[in-house]
Amino acid sequence: MACEYKRIESLIGVYLSKNYRDVIEIGIGKNTDVAAACARAGLRVRATDIRPVPPVEGVEGRVDDVFAPDLPWYKGADLIYAVRPGVEMVPSMIDLARAVGCDLVVYHLGNEIYMDGGEAIDCGVVLHRYVRA
């Protein structure tokens, strides 16, 4: 199962690296693979969580709460994304992406999606774009 998760993160990282330049991962937790892949590809990468963000080479991390985000920190991003977030976080991420003026892409756990699931993107795994800037 661990190999399957790493394949998922790899596919997400490739898609994001080909389509964006300045990305922010919401709720990174301990799974830093997508952020690390994006950083290795030369993107500007920032990551947040409600707990301290693990150090990752090329990733700026900070404690922030998507339900009360520090808006200036998100300035300049062309994408906010999340990998397996709680579905209750999605409305706040939509609001944040709209406030920043960037896309929002989410990889959901299983079939857990928010509302209509937004625009489906098949990059080897199914991503959901809820906001397109």
Side-chain angles (χ1 to χ4, degrees), residues 59-98:
V59 177
E60 303 167 51
R62 84 166 352 186
V63 173
D64 197 42
D65 185 346
V66 72
F67 297 104
D70 179 14
L71 284 175
W73 193 75
Y74 295 85
K75 184 178 180 192
D78 58 353
L79 173 70
I80 292 172
Y81 73 94
V83 179
R84 297 181 200 90
V87 72
E88 71 279 358
M89 295 169 62
V90 176
S92 292
M93 290 189 293
I94 290 170
D95 291 344
L96 178 58
R98 287 180 177 152

PDB file of all heavy atoms in Angstrom, residues 59-98:
ATOM      1  N   VAL A  59      11.294  24.026   0.525  1.00  0.00           N
ATOM      2  CA  VAL A  59       9.898  24.303   0.890  1.00  0.00           C
ATOM      3  C   VAL A  59       9.862  25.250   2.083  1.00  0.00           C
ATOM      4  O   VAL A  59      10.485  24.990   3.110  1.00  0.00           O
ATOM      5  CB  VAL A  59       9.145  22.997   1.237  1.00  0.00           C
ATOM      6  CG1 VAL A  59       7.723  23.299   1.687  1.00  0.00           C
ATOM      7  CG2 VAL A  59       9.149  22.036   0.049  1.00  0.00           C
ATOM      8  N   GLU A  60       9.129  26.361   1.917  1.00  0.00           N
ATOM      9  CA  GLU A  60       8.916  27.293   3.020  1.00  0.00           C
ATOM     10  C   GLU A  60       7.701  26.795   3.794  1.00  0.00           C
ATOM     11  O   GLU A  60       6.616  26.699   3.226  1.00  0.00           O
ATOM     12  CB  GLU A  60       8.603  28.694   2.495  1.00  0.00           C
ATOM     13  CG  GLU A  60       9.637  29.293   1.574  1.00  0.00           C
ATOM     14  CD  GLU A  60       9.086  30.527   0.867  1.00  0.00           C
ATOM     15  OE1 GLU A  60       8.552  31.432   1.566  1.00  0.00           O
ATOM     16  OE2 GLU A  60       9.165  30.557  -0.366  1.00  0.00           O
ATOM     17  N   GLY A  61       7.866  26.485   5.065  1.00  0.00           N
ATOM     18  CA  GLY A  61       6.751  25.983   5.855  1.00  0.00           C
ATOM     19  C   GLY A  61       6.363  26.930   6.960  1.00  0.00           C
ATOM     20  O   GLY A  61       7.192  27.706   7.444  1.00  0.00           O
ATOM     21  N   ARG A  62       5.096  26.867   7.326  1.00  0.00           N
ATOM     22  CA  ARG A  62       4.635  27.680   8.453  1.00  0.00           C
ATOM     23  C   ARG A  62       3.357  27.099   9.017  1.00  0.00           C
ATOM     24  O   ARG A  62       2.588  26.445   8.334  1.00  0.00           O
ATOM     25  CB  ARG A  62       4.445  29.124   8.050  1.00  0.00           C
ATOM     26  CG  ARG A  62       3.121  29.420   7.404  1.00  0.00           C
ATOM     27  CD  ARG A  62       2.730  30.851   7.262  1.00  0.00           C
ATOM     28  NE  ARG A  62       3.579  31.804   7.919  1.00  0.00           N
ATOM     29  CZ  ARG A  62       3.336  33.080   7.998  1.00  0.00           C
ATOM     30  NH1 ARG A  62       2.257  33.566   7.446  1.00  0.00           N
ATOM     31  NH2 ARG A  62       4.129  33.907   8.603  1.00  0.00           N
ATOM     32  N   VAL A  63       3.137  27.395  10.278  1.00  0.00           N
ATOM     33  CA  VAL A  63       1.886  27.023  10.938  1.00  0.00           C
ATOM     34  C   VAL A  63       0.841  28.047  10.509  1.00  0.00           C
ATOM     35  O   VAL A  63       1.067  29.253  10.606  1.00  0.00           O
ATOM     36  CB  VAL A  63       2.053  27.005  12.474  1.00  0.00           C
ATOM     37  CG1 VAL A  63       0.718  26.796  13.154  1.00  0.00           C
ATOM     38  CG2 VAL A  63       3.055  25.933  12.884  1.00  0.00           C
ATOM     39  N   ASP A  64      -0.273  27.558   9.979  1.00  0.00           N
ATOM     40  CA  ASP A  64      -1.380  28.423   9.591  1.00  0.00           C
ATOM     41  C   ASP A  64      -2.640  27.571   9.586  1.00  0.00           C
ATOM     42  O   ASP A  64      -2.584  26.363   9.380  1.00  0.00           O
ATOM     43  CB  ASP A  64      -1.146  29.046   8.213  1.00  0.00           C
ATOM     44  CG  ASP A  64      -2.043  30.247   7.949  1.00  0.00           C
ATOM     45  OD1 ASP A  64      -2.224  31.075   8.867  1.00  0.00           O
ATOM     46  OD2 ASP A  64      -2.566  30.354   6.830  1.00  0.00           O
ATOM     47  N   ASP A  65      -3.756  28.214   9.818  1.00  0.00           N
ATOM     48  CA  ASP A  65      -5.042  27.526   9.880  1.00  0.00           C
ATOM     49  C   ASP A  65      -5.887  27.972   8.693  1.00  0.00           C
ATOM     50  O   ASP A  65      -6.190  29.161   8.554  1.00  0.00           O
ATOM     51  CB  ASP A  65      -5.726  27.886  11.199  1.00  0.00           C
ATOM     52  CG  ASP A  65      -7.023  27.138  11.435  1.00  0.00           C
ATOM     53  OD1 ASP A  65      -7.561  26.524  10.476  1.00  0.00           O
ATOM     54  OD2 ASP A  65      -7.502  27.159  12.579  1.00  0.00           O
ATOM     55  N   VAL A  66      -6.262  27.042   7.836  1.00  0.00           N
ATOM     56  CA  VAL A  66      -7.029  27.378   6.637  1.00  0.00           C
ATOM     57  C   VAL A  66      -8.379  28.023   6.991  1.00  0.00           C
ATOM     58  O   VAL A  66      -8.948  28.737   6.178  1.00  0.00           O
ATOM     59  CB  VAL A  66      -7.217  26.138   5.731  1.00  0.00           C
ATOM     60  CG1 VAL A  66      -8.193  25.149   6.336  1.00  0.00           C
ATOM     61  CG2 VAL A  66      -7.659  26.550   4.336  1.00  0.00           C
ATOM     62  N   PHE A  67      -8.853  27.819   8.211  1.00  0.00           N
ATOM     63  CA  PHE A  67     -10.121  28.418   8.629  1.00  0.00           C
ATOM     64  C   PHE A  67      -9.956  29.880   9.050  1.00  0.00           C
ATOM     65  O   PHE A  67     -10.941  30.602   9.160  1.00  0.00           O
ATOM     66  CB  PHE A  67     -10.753  27.598   9.761  1.00  0.00           C
ATOM     67  CG  PHE A  67     -11.095  26.192   9.335  1.00  0.00           C
ATOM     68  CD1 PHE A  67     -10.323  25.125   9.727  1.00  0.00           C
ATOM     69  CD2 PHE A  67     -12.193  25.950   8.510  1.00  0.00           C
ATOM     70  CE1 PHE A  67     -10.635  23.827   9.327  1.00  0.00           C
ATOM     71  CE2 PHE A  67     -12.509  24.669   8.096  1.00  0.00           C
ATOM     72  CZ  PHE A  67     -11.720  23.605   8.508  1.00  0.00           C
ATOM     73  N   ALA A  68      -8.718  30.309   9.272  1.00  0.00           N
ATOM     74  CA  ALA A  68      -8.406  31.710   9.590  1.00  0.00           C
ATOM     75  C   ALA A  68      -7.007  32.010   9.041  1.00  0.00           C
ATOM     76  O   ALA A  68      -6.069  32.255   9.791  1.00  0.00           O
ATOM     77  CB  ALA A  68      -8.455  31.935  11.100  1.00  0.00           C
ATOM     78  N   PRO A  69      -6.841  31.975   7.706  1.00  0.00           N
ATOM     79  CA  PRO A  69      -5.500  32.085   7.114  1.00  0.00           C
ATOM     80  C   PRO A  69      -4.905  33.482   7.193  1.00  0.00           C
ATOM     81  O   PRO A  69      -5.618  34.477   7.223  1.00  0.00           O
ATOM     82  CB  PRO A  69      -5.740  31.686   5.656  1.00  0.00           C
ATOM     83  CG  PRO A  69      -7.168  32.043   5.395  1.00  0.00           C
ATOM     84  CD  PRO A  69      -7.891  31.813   6.695  1.00  0.00           C
ATOM     85  N   ASP A  70      -3.574  33.512   7.195  1.00  0.00           N
ATOM     86  CA  ASP A  70      -2.812  34.753   7.144  1.00  0.00           C
ATOM     87  C   ASP A  70      -2.662  35.127   5.662  1.00  0.00           C
ATOM     88  O   ASP A  70      -1.692  34.752   5.004  1.00  0.00           O
ATOM     89  CB  ASP A  70      -1.456  34.531   7.800  1.00  0.00           C
ATOM     90  CG  ASP A  70      -0.571  35.763   7.769  1.00  0.00           C
ATOM     91  OD1 ASP A  70      -1.083  36.873   7.490  1.00  0.00           O
ATOM     92  OD2 ASP A  70       0.642  35.615   8.013  1.00  0.00           O
ATOM     93  N   LEU A  71      -3.659  35.831   5.111  1.00  0.00           N
ATOM     94  CA  LEU A  71      -3.745  36.084   3.671  1.00  0.00           C
ATOM     95  C   LEU A  71      -2.476  36.614   3.009  1.00  0.00           C
ATOM     96  O   LEU A  71      -2.121  36.157   1.922  1.00  0.00           O
ATOM     97  CB  LEU A  71      -4.924  37.002   3.357  1.00  0.00           C
ATOM     98  CG  LEU A  71      -6.294  36.342   3.413  1.00  0.00           C
ATOM     99  CD1 LEU A  71      -7.391  37.375   3.218  1.00  0.00           C
ATOM    100  CD2 LEU A  71      -6.404  35.241   2.380  1.00  0.00           C
ATOM    101  N   PRO A  72      -1.754  37.575   3.606  1.00  0.00           N
ATOM    102  CA  PRO A  72      -0.572  38.089   2.920  1.00  0.00           C
ATOM    103  C   PRO A  72       0.471  37.015   2.601  1.00  0.00           C
ATOM    104  O   PRO A  72       1.190  37.119   1.610  1.00  0.00           O
ATOM    105  CB  PRO A  72      -0.011  39.138   3.890  1.00  0.00           C
ATOM    106  CG  PRO A  72      -1.191  39.569   4.694  1.00  0.00           C
ATOM    107  CD  PRO A  72      -2.049  38.328   4.829  1.00  0.00           C
ATOM    108  N   TRP A  73       0.538  35.970   3.404  1.00  0.00           N
ATOM    109  CA  TRP A  73       1.537  34.924   3.188  1.00  0.00           C
ATOM    110  C   TRP A  73       1.271  34.147   1.895  1.00  0.00           C
ATOM    111  O   TRP A  73       2.182  33.596   1.289  1.00  0.00           O
ATOM    112  CB  TRP A  73       1.572  33.966   4.383  1.00  0.00           C
ATOM    113  CG  TRP A  73       2.777  33.081   4.366  1.00  0.00           C
ATOM    114  CD1 TRP A  73       4.067  33.429   4.670  1.00  0.00           C
ATOM    115  CD2 TRP A  73       2.817  31.698   4.001  1.00  0.00           C
ATOM    116  NE1 TRP A  73       4.884  32.342   4.523  1.00  0.00           N
ATOM    117  CE2 TRP A  73       4.149  31.268   4.123  1.00  0.00           C
ATOM    118  CE3 TRP A  73       1.855  30.782   3.601  1.00  0.00           C
ATOM    119  CZ2 TRP A  73       4.547  29.966   3.857  1.00  0.00           C
ATOM    120  CZ3 TRP A  73       2.252  29.481   3.333  1.00  0.00           C
ATOM    121  CH2 TRP A  73       3.578  29.085   3.459  1.00  0.00           C
ATOM    122  N   TYR A  74       0.051  34.125   1.440  1.00  0.00           N
ATOM    123  CA  TYR A  74      -0.341  33.363   0.245  1.00  0.00           C
ATOM    124  C   TYR A  74      -0.172  34.164  -1.050  1.00  0.00           C
ATOM    125  O   TYR A  74      -0.311  33.616  -2.136  1.00  0.00           O
ATOM    126  CB  TYR A  74      -1.794  32.909   0.377  1.00  0.00           C
ATOM    127  CG  TYR A  74      -1.995  31.922   1.506  1.00  0.00           C
ATOM    128  CD1 TYR A  74      -2.192  32.355   2.812  1.00  0.00           C
ATOM    129  CD2 TYR A  74      -1.973  30.552   1.275  1.00  0.00           C
ATOM    130  CE1 TYR A  74      -2.369  31.457   3.850  1.00  0.00           C
ATOM    131  CE2 TYR A  74      -2.151  29.642   2.304  1.00  0.00           C
ATOM    132  CZ  TYR A  74      -2.339  30.105   3.589  1.00  0.00           C
ATOM    133  OH  TYR A  74      -2.505  29.213   4.620  1.00  0.00           O
ATOM    134  N   LYS A  75       0.139  35.445  -0.915  1.00  0.00           N
ATOM    135  CA  LYS A  75       0.249  36.320  -2.085  1.00  0.00           C
ATOM    136  C   LYS A  75       1.250  35.767  -3.099  1.00  0.00           C
ATOM    137  O   LYS A  75       2.331  35.309  -2.757  1.00  0.00           O
ATOM    138  CB  LYS A  75       0.684  37.723  -1.645  1.00  0.00           C
ATOM    139  CG  LYS A  75       0.716  38.711  -2.777  1.00  0.00           C
ATOM    140  CD  LYS A  75       1.094  40.089  -2.298  1.00  0.00           C
ATOM    141  CE  LYS A  75       1.103  41.020  -3.494  1.00  0.00           C
ATOM    142  NZ  LYS A  75       1.718  42.284  -3.189  1.00  0.00           N
ATOM    143  N   GLY A  76       0.872  35.829  -4.372  1.00  0.00           N
ATOM    144  CA  GLY A  76       1.751  35.409  -5.454  1.00  0.00           C
ATOM    145  C   GLY A  76       1.592  33.968  -5.890  1.00  0.00           C
ATOM    146  O   GLY A  76       2.089  33.580  -6.939  1.00  0.00           O
ATOM    147  N   ALA A  77       0.894  33.169  -5.108  1.00  0.00           N
ATOM    148  CA  ALA A  77       0.702  31.758  -5.483  1.00  0.00           C
ATOM    149  C   ALA A  77      -0.208  31.662  -6.704  1.00  0.00           C
ATOM    150  O   ALA A  77      -1.151  32.439  -6.849  1.00  0.00           O
ATOM    151  CB  ALA A  77       0.090  30.983  -4.325  1.00  0.00           C
ATOM    152  N   ASP A  78       0.094  30.722  -7.591  1.00  0.00           N
ATOM    153  CA  ASP A  78      -0.829  30.454  -8.691  1.00  0.00           C
ATOM    154  C   ASP A  78      -1.621  29.177  -8.438  1.00  0.00           C
ATOM    155  O   ASP A  78      -2.525  28.855  -9.192  1.00  0.00           O
ATOM    156  CB  ASP A  78      -0.126  30.441 -10.056  1.00  0.00           C
ATOM    157  CG  ASP A  78       1.005  29.444 -10.194  1.00  0.00           C
ATOM    158  OD1 ASP A  78       1.383  28.797  -9.202  1.00  0.00           O
ATOM    159  OD2 ASP A  78       1.530  29.310 -11.314  1.00  0.00           O
ATOM    160  N   LEU A  79      -1.298  28.491  -7.339  1.00  0.00           N
ATOM    161  CA  LEU A  79      -2.035  27.287  -6.960  1.00  0.00           C
ATOM    162  C   LEU A  79      -1.986  27.066  -5.464  1.00  0.00           C
ATOM    163  O   LEU A  79      -0.928  27.175  -4.843  1.00  0.00           O
ATOM    164  CB  LEU A  79      -1.429  26.048  -7.639  1.00  0.00           C
ATOM    165  CG  LEU A  79      -2.025  24.711  -7.183  1.00  0.00           C
ATOM    166  CD1 LEU A  79      -3.455  24.552  -7.687  1.00  0.00           C
ATOM    167  CD2 LEU A  79      -1.163  23.548  -7.619  1.00  0.00           C
ATOM    168  N   ILE A  80      -3.127  26.734  -4.916  1.00  0.00           N
ATOM    169  CA  ILE A  80      -3.239  26.160  -3.580  1.00  0.00           C
ATOM    170  C   ILE A  80      -3.719  24.741  -3.812  1.00  0.00           C
ATOM    171  O   ILE A  80      -4.622  24.510  -4.615  1.00  0.00           O
ATOM    172  CB  ILE A  80      -4.222  26.954  -2.702  1.00  0.00           C
ATOM    173  CG1 ILE A  80      -3.640  28.342  -2.399  1.00  0.00           C
ATOM    174  CG2 ILE A  80      -4.551  26.190  -1.430  1.00  0.00           C
ATOM    175  CD1 ILE A  80      -4.597  29.282  -1.710  1.00  0.00           C
ATOM    176  N   TYR A  81      -3.086  23.784  -3.135  1.00  0.00           N
ATOM    177  CA  TYR A  81      -3.495  22.393  -3.308  1.00  0.00           C
ATOM    178  C   TYR A  81      -3.480  21.671  -1.969  1.00  0.00           C
ATOM    179  O   TYR A  81      -2.871  22.128  -1.004  1.00  0.00           O
ATOM    180  CB  TYR A  81      -2.612  21.668  -4.332  1.00  0.00           C
ATOM    181  CG  TYR A  81      -1.220  21.335  -3.853  1.00  0.00           C
ATOM    182  CD1 TYR A  81      -0.937  20.090  -3.289  1.00  0.00           C
ATOM    183  CD2 TYR A  81      -0.179  22.246  -3.967  1.00  0.00           C
ATOM    184  CE1 TYR A  81       0.347  19.781  -2.849  1.00  0.00           C
ATOM    185  CE2 TYR A  81       1.091  21.944  -3.539  1.00  0.00           C
ATOM    186  CZ  TYR A  81       1.352  20.701  -2.974  1.00  0.00           C
ATOM    187  OH  TYR A  81       2.621  20.403  -2.534  1.00  0.00           O
ATOM    188  N   ALA A  82      -4.174  20.535  -1.945  1.00  0.00           N
ATOM    189  CA  ALA A  82      -4.191  19.685  -0.757  1.00  0.00           C
ATOM    190  C   ALA A  82      -4.274  18.228  -1.187  1.00  0.00           C
ATOM    191  O   ALA A  82      -4.926  17.906  -2.176  1.00  0.00           O
ATOM    192  CB  ALA A  82      -5.368  20.043   0.140  1.00  0.00           C
ATOM    193  N   VAL A  83      -3.606  17.385  -0.420  1.00  0.00           N
ATOM    194  CA  VAL A  83      -3.605  15.951  -0.666  1.00  0.00           C
ATOM    195  C   VAL A  83      -4.324  15.281   0.510  1.00  0.00           C
ATOM    196  O   VAL A  83      -3.869  15.357   1.644  1.00  0.00           O
ATOM    197  CB  VAL A  83      -2.163  15.410  -0.797  1.00  0.00           C
ATOM    198  CG1 VAL A  83      -2.168  13.904  -1.017  1.00  0.00           C
ATOM    199  CG2 VAL A  83      -1.430  16.132  -1.923  1.00  0.00           C
ATOM    200  N   ARG A  84      -5.460  14.689   0.204  1.00  0.00           N
ATOM    201  CA  ARG A  84      -6.298  13.991   1.186  1.00  0.00           C
ATOM    202  C   ARG A  84      -6.705  14.875   2.374  1.00  0.00           C
ATOM    203  O   ARG A  84      -6.574  14.466   3.523  1.00  0.00           O
ATOM    204  CB  ARG A  84      -5.581  12.734   1.695  1.00  0.00           C
ATOM    205  CG  ARG A  84      -5.310  11.709   0.652  1.00  0.00           C
ATOM    206  CD  ARG A  84      -4.605  10.474   1.238  1.00  0.00           C
ATOM    207  NE  ARG A  84      -3.952   9.748   0.190  1.00  0.00           N
ATOM    208  CZ  ARG A  84      -2.695   9.941  -0.213  1.00  0.00           C
ATOM    209  NH1 ARG A  84      -1.933  10.854   0.354  1.00  0.00           N
ATOM    210  NH2 ARG A  84      -2.201   9.222  -1.180  1.00  0.00           N
ATOM    211  N   PRO A  85      -7.232  16.077   2.114  1.00  0.00           N
ATOM    212  CA  PRO A  85      -7.694  16.909   3.240  1.00  0.00           C
ATOM    213  C   PRO A  85      -9.039  16.411   3.743  1.00  0.00           C
ATOM    214  O   PRO A  85      -9.756  15.705   3.022  1.00  0.00           O
ATOM    215  CB  PRO A  85      -7.857  18.288   2.602  1.00  0.00           C
ATOM    216  CG  PRO A  85      -8.313  17.959   1.210  1.00  0.00           C
ATOM    217  CD  PRO A  85      -7.502  16.726   0.828  1.00  0.00           C
ATOM    218  N   GLY A  86      -9.383  16.802   4.941  1.00  0.00           N
ATOM    219  CA  GLY A  86     -10.747  16.570   5.402  1.00  0.00           C
ATOM    220  C   GLY A  86     -11.685  17.379   4.526  1.00  0.00           C
ATOM    221  O   GLY A  86     -11.387  18.534   4.186  1.00  0.00           O
ATOM    222  N   VAL A  87     -12.791  16.776   4.127  1.00  0.00           N
ATOM    223  CA  VAL A  87     -13.720  17.464   3.220  1.00  0.00           C
ATOM    224  C   VAL A  87     -14.242  18.765   3.835  1.00  0.00           C
ATOM    225  O   VAL A  87     -14.562  19.711   3.107  1.00  0.00           O
ATOM    226  CB  VAL A  87     -14.857  16.516   2.771  1.00  0.00           C
ATOM    227  CG1 VAL A  87     -15.839  16.247   3.884  1.00  0.00           C
ATOM    228  CG2 VAL A  87     -15.552  17.046   1.531  1.00  0.00           C
ATOM    229  N   GLU A  88     -14.258  18.855   5.152  1.00  0.00           N
ATOM    230  CA  GLU A  88     -14.727  20.082   5.809  1.00  0.00           C
ATOM    231  C   GLU A  88     -13.780  21.249   5.571  1.00  0.00           C
ATOM    232  O   GLU A  88     -14.163  22.411   5.769  1.00  0.00           O
ATOM    233  CB  GLU A  88     -14.918  19.845   7.316  1.00  0.00           C
ATOM    234  CG  GLU A  88     -13.649  19.687   8.116  1.00  0.00           C
ATOM    235  CD  GLU A  88     -13.031  18.279   8.063  1.00  0.00           C
ATOM    236  OE1 GLU A  88     -13.602  17.373   7.416  1.00  0.00           O
ATOM    237  OE2 GLU A  88     -11.964  18.095   8.676  1.00  0.00           O
ATOM    238  N   MET A  89     -12.548  20.981   5.124  1.00  0.00           N
ATOM    239  CA  MET A  89     -11.585  22.040   4.839  1.00  0.00           C
ATOM    240  C   MET A  89     -11.811  22.686   3.469  1.00  0.00           C
ATOM    241  O   MET A  89     -11.373  23.813   3.233  1.00  0.00           O
ATOM    242  CB  MET A  89     -10.158  21.471   4.887  1.00  0.00           C
ATOM    243  CG  MET A  89      -9.728  20.985   6.252  1.00  0.00           C
ATOM    244  SD  MET A  89      -8.181  20.042   6.193  1.00  0.00           S
ATOM    245  CE  MET A  89      -7.030  21.278   5.585  1.00  0.00           C
ATOM    246  N   VAL A  90     -12.476  21.980   2.568  1.00  0.00           N
ATOM    247  CA  VAL A  90     -12.585  22.438   1.182  1.00  0.00           C
ATOM    248  C   VAL A  90     -13.270  23.801   1.048  1.00  0.00           C
ATOM    249  O   VAL A  90     -12.761  24.657   0.319  1.00  0.00           O
ATOM    250  CB  VAL A  90     -13.233  21.364   0.283  1.00  0.00           C
ATOM    251  CG1 VAL A  90     -13.430  21.881  -1.138  1.00  0.00           C
ATOM    252  CG2 VAL A  90     -12.384  20.093   0.280  1.00  0.00           C
ATOM    253  N   PRO A  91     -14.395  24.073   1.715  1.00  0.00           N
ATOM    254  CA  PRO A  91     -14.993  25.412   1.560  1.00  0.00           C
ATOM    255  C   PRO A  91     -14.031  26.541   1.935  1.00  0.00           C
ATOM    256  O   PRO A  91     -13.977  27.562   1.240  1.00  0.00           O
ATOM    257  CB  PRO A  91     -16.211  25.381   2.486  1.00  0.00           C
ATOM    258  CG  PRO A  91     -16.557  23.934   2.621  1.00  0.00           C
ATOM    259  CD  PRO A  91     -15.238  23.204   2.552  1.00  0.00           C
ATOM    260  N   SER A  92     -13.257  26.359   2.995  1.00  0.00           N
ATOM    261  CA  SER A  92     -12.289  27.392   3.386  1.00  0.00           C
ATOM    262  C   SER A  92     -11.164  27.510   2.371  1.00  0.00           C
ATOM    263  O   SER A  92     -10.670  28.611   2.100  1.00  0.00           O
ATOM    264  CB  SER A  92     -11.720  27.092   4.771  1.00  0.00           C
ATOM    265  OG  SER A  92     -12.737  27.234   5.743  1.00  0.00           O
ATOM    266  N   MET A  93     -10.758  26.388   1.779  1.00  0.00           N
ATOM    267  CA  MET A  93      -9.726  26.444   0.743  1.00  0.00           C
ATOM    268  C   MET A  93     -10.254  27.139  -0.510  1.00  0.00           C
ATOM    269  O   MET A  93      -9.515  27.885  -1.164  1.00  0.00           O
ATOM    270  CB  MET A  93      -9.213  25.042   0.418  1.00  0.00           C
ATOM    271  CG  MET A  93      -8.389  24.449   1.545  1.00  0.00           C
ATOM    272  SD  MET A  93      -7.551  22.894   1.116  1.00  0.00           S
ATOM    273  CE  MET A  93      -8.936  21.799   0.896  1.00  0.00           C
ATOM    274  N   ILE A  94     -11.510  26.918  -0.847  1.00  0.00           N
ATOM    275  CA  ILE A  94     -12.127  27.616  -1.979  1.00  0.00           C
ATOM    276  C   ILE A  94     -12.120  29.118  -1.725  1.00  0.00           C
ATOM    277  O   ILE A  94     -11.711  29.905  -2.592  1.00  0.00           O
ATOM    278  CB  ILE A  94     -13.563  27.101  -2.235  1.00  0.00           C
ATOM    279  CG1 ILE A  94     -13.520  25.671  -2.787  1.00  0.00           C
ATOM    280  CG2 ILE A  94     -14.323  28.037  -3.174  1.00  0.00           C
ATOM    281  CD1 ILE A  94     -14.885  24.983  -2.851  1.00  0.00           C
ATOM    282  N   ASP A  95     -12.543  29.522  -0.538  1.00  0.00           N
ATOM    283  CA  ASP A  95     -12.537  30.954  -0.185  1.00  0.00           C
ATOM    284  C   ASP A  95     -11.132  31.534  -0.261  1.00  0.00           C
ATOM    285  O   ASP A  95     -10.931  32.644  -0.776  1.00  0.00           O
ATOM    286  CB  ASP A  95     -13.101  31.164   1.225  1.00  0.00           C
ATOM    287  CG  ASP A  95     -14.588  30.882   1.318  1.00  0.00           C
ATOM    288  OD1 ASP A  95     -15.270  30.807   0.275  1.00  0.00           O
ATOM    289  OD2 ASP A  95     -15.075  30.716   2.466  1.00  0.00           O
ATOM    290  N   LEU A  96     -10.153  30.788   0.239  1.00  0.00           N
ATOM    291  CA  LEU A  96      -8.766  31.253   0.238  1.00  0.00           C
ATOM    292  C   LEU A  96      -8.249  31.413  -1.191  1.00  0.00           C
ATOM    293  O   LEU A  96      -7.653  32.436  -1.542  1.00  0.00           O
ATOM    294  CB  LEU A  96      -7.889  30.279   1.032  1.00  0.00           C
ATOM    295  CG  LEU A  96      -6.401  30.585   1.087  1.00  0.00           C
ATOM    296  CD1 LEU A  96      -6.136  31.968   1.671  1.00  0.00           C
ATOM    297  CD2 LEU A  96      -5.684  29.502   1.903  1.00  0.00           C
ATOM    298  N   ALA A  97      -8.479  30.406  -2.041  1.00  0.00           N
ATOM    299  CA  ALA A  97      -8.011  30.482  -3.430  1.00  0.00           C
ATOM    300  C   ALA A  97      -8.649  31.665  -4.157  1.00  0.00           C
ATOM    301  O   ALA A  97      -7.977  32.373  -4.911  1.00  0.00           O
ATOM    302  CB  ALA A  97      -8.314  29.182  -4.159  1.00  0.00           C
ATOM    303  N   ARG A  98      -9.916  31.892  -3.923  1.00  0.00           N
ATOM    304  CA  ARG A  98     -10.588  33.040  -4.550  1.00  0.00           C
ATOM    305  C   ARG A  98      -9.996  34.355  -4.055  1.00  0.00           C
ATOM    306  O   ARG A  98      -9.795  35.291  -4.834  1.00  0.00           O
ATOM    307  CB  ARG A  98     -12.085  32.981  -4.289  1.00  0.00           C
ATOM    308  CG  ARG A  98     -12.774  31.906  -5.111  1.00  0.00           C
ATOM    309  CD  ARG A  98     -14.255  31.848  -4.853  1.00  0.00           C
ATOM    310  NE  ARG A  98     -14.895  30.858  -5.708  1.00  0.00           N
ATOM    311  CZ  ARG A  98     -15.996  30.210  -5.407  1.00  0.00           C
ATOM    312  NH1 ARG A  98     -16.634  30.467  -4.263  1.00  0.00           N
ATOM    313  NH2 ARG A  98     -16.500  29.318  -6.240  1.00  0.00           N
TER     314      ARG A  98
END
